[in-house]
Amino acid sequence: MKITRAYTIDRQTLEILKKQTNKSQYVCRAVKRLHSNAAELRLYELPVGELLKHVMGRGGCPPHIEAVIREYYQIHK
């Protein structure tokens, strides 16, 4: 069953949709794909400080990497 809804989208999204022949199908596939992958961990979405904290906490980190992480924390206090 299909229903009609109105949503606000940004201009960049509109430009992408303009190029699609079947806009509804394109949006439905994109939303379903995004929803099914929502639980996956994406490293680029983690805050850098949090990622570095976990690396330091694991232990066994090479000394040159530890030095870079310590310097990062000194800069971003």
Side-chain angles (χ1 to χ4, degrees):
M1 178 170 66
K2 301 217 180 231
I3 58 174
T4 302
R5 296 276 190 237
Y7 296 98
T8 304
I9 58 174
D10 59 25
R11 289 187 188 276
Q12 184 180 14
T13 304
L14 179 63
E15 292 302 318
I16 293 169
L17 287 175
K18 279 183 182 179
K19 299 173 186 171
Q20 303 303 316
T21 54
N22 189 337
K23 293 161 184 54
S24 295
Q25 183 182 36
Y26 187 80
V27 170
C28 287
R29 283 187 304 163
V31 169
K32 288 175 184 175
R33 186 176 296 145
L34 179 64
H35 179 71
S36 67
N37 295 330
E40 288 184 12
L41 175 64
R42 293 176 182 89
L43 291 179
Y44 60 84
E45 292 178 348
L46 286 176
V48 173
E50 185 177 330
L51 185 61
L52 294 176
K53 182 172 38 172
H54 288 291
V55 169
M56 286 289 286
R58 286 184 62 208
C61 191
H64 63 283
I65 301 294
E66 284 184 14
V68 170
I69 294 173
R70 273 192 239 100
E71 184 177 330
Y72 173 86
Y73 278 122
Q74 287 174 356
I75 293 170
H76 294 90
K77 281 185 178 183

